Amino acid sequence: MVDHAVLLEEVTRTYGKGATEVAALRRVSIGFPRGSFTAVMGPSGSGKSTLLQCASGLDRPDSGAVRIAGQDITRFGENELAVLRRDQVGVIFQAFNLVPSLTAWQNVILPSSLARRRPDPSRVRELLHRVGLAGREGHRPAQLSGGQQQRVAIARALLGRPEVLFADEPTGALDRRTGHEVLALLREAVDAFGQTVVMVTHDPEAAAQADRVLLLTDGRIVEVLDRPSADQIGMRLGGRR
Ligand SMILES: Nc1ncnc2c1ncn2[C@@H]1O[C@H](COP(=O)(O)OP(=O)(O)OP(=O)(O)O)[C@@H](O)[C@H]1O
Ligand SMILES: [Mg+2]
């Protein structure tokens, strides 16, 4: 039996009511095996971000279950969700949620500090260096570009080595070189530390770093590709992109 870090069972999420109702996810069932790297692709509006938000406990599905470490997190209250996010789940989302008054360094160590862990300064330095922020440790978010702020959020998510890491277009705003480094960090999280990574991307090259690619269309998983090449992904996306 596969050991799933995260398991979605018949997850449905609908936004709005009546004429404006949108089914963002339609009875999606999928498991993310422990220590695997999954890329989620599909057209704009197909439900990728909704999938990550429901799977990470940031959003609550209308029906269905989301199991993390055997527990259905859709039944969690706010406190349990906060503990889940502190201890088990890392997120890199389009809104970076950095604290404006804190420096890059302070933002990176904040969750660890709140969890009363003592982050190793050499690892904080290494992470900031690898995401291309060496020399920016003392800058506040307002003094950083959008892409740089996102890299702070990436370093912050990686520092605690969460069991599961959800990333929504983590390389979308980055130049090629920084994008490669971020993908290498995610791959390393899986290969060296057995973490489970789920990443939304529009980039076939980035998706080719994953073990598996899910294609979403209109709130459903329409295809699962195992270890596809960038060319195979590009071909499958074809008209759907
Ligand atoms: N808060 C919301 N209120 C109403 N509708 C929403 C909300 N969030 C998402 N939707 C709708 O749900 C559908 C799925 O949205 P979602 O953000 O998951 O798409 P996506 O695949 O991440 O797209 P993109 O590639 O553009 O980021 C879309 O039709 C979107 O308009
Ligand atoms: Mg999205």
Side-chain angles (χ1 to χ4, degrees):
M1 220 182 88
V2 182
D3 181 15
H4 287 118
V6 185
L7 186 61
L8 275 67
E9 294 170 346
E10 305 255 330
V11 169
T12 293
R13 178 67 168 108
T14 305
Y15 293 110
K17 283 261 177 292
T20 61
E21 187 173 295
V22 177
L25 291 178
R26 303 167 192 255
R27 303 179 64 156
V28 168
S29 297
I30 186 84
F32 299 98
R34 201 173 294 283
S36 68
F37 188 169
T38 303
V40 181
M41 305 189 81
S44 181
S46 58
K48 304 180 298 294
S49 295
T50 306
L51 176 73
L52 256 63
Q53 277 160 5
C54 287
S56 62
L58 286 176
D59 190 11
R60 216 182 278 275
D62 298 294
S63 60
V66 176
R67 298 190 197 284
I68 296 184
Q71 289 185 290
D72 182 3
I73 67 162
T74 64
R75 295 167 184 279
F76 277 15
E78 283 312 314
N79 291 342
E80 287 170 295
L81 285 173
V83 171
L84 177 84
R85 283 197 289 270
R86 190 190 70 192
D87 294 342
Q88 283 171 290
V89 170
V91 293
I92 304 166
F93 280 166
Q94 282 153 331
F96 322 124
N97 295 316
L98 301 181
V99 179
S101 59
L102 299 182
T103 66
W105 181 288
Q106 290 165 338
N107 265 291
V108 169
I109 67 165
L110 182 64
S112 300
S113 308
L114 291 176
R116 298 180 183 284
R117 289 187 290 258
R118 280 181 165 272
D120 173 5
S122 64
R123 178 156 157 77
V124 178
R125 194 167 295 114
E126 185 210 329
L127 278 172
L128 282 167
H129 176 79
R130 288 185 65 184
V131 298
L133 290 174
R136 303 276 174 160
E137 294 88 348
H139 287 57
R140 293 198 176 76
Q143 300 166 316
L144 299 169
S145 72
Q148 288 169 336
Q149 291 178 45
Q150 186 174 27
R151 287 182 256 163
V152 175
I154 292 168
R156 179 183 59 186
L158 287 164
L159 180 66
R161 292 214 174 99
E163 283 167 44
V164 190
L165 197 52
F166 293 102
D168 199 344
E169 299 190 49
T171 60
L174 305 181
D175 58 85
R176 235 182 130 67
R177 196 172 136 216
T178 317
H180 276 295
E181 191 62 48
V182 166
L183 287 170
L185 281 164
L186 295 177
R187 192 67 249 181
E188 183 182 297
V190 173
D191 295 340
F193 302 103
Q195 290 165 267
T196 305
V197 174
V198 184
M199 171 186 76
V200 170
T201 181
H202 285 282
D203 176 9
E205 299 271 351
Q209 297 298 311
D211 303 314
R212 187 177 63 157
V213 177
L214 310 181
L215 293 185
L216 246 71
T217 301
D218 206 14
R220 289 194 180 88
I221 295 171
V222 293
E223 204 158 348
V224 179
L225 309 171
D226 275 308
R227 290 220 163 258
S229 67
D231 285 345
Q232 286 168 323
I233 297 165
M235 250 146 52
R236 279 296 203 288
L237 289 175
R240 276 206 276 254
R241 269 186 99 186

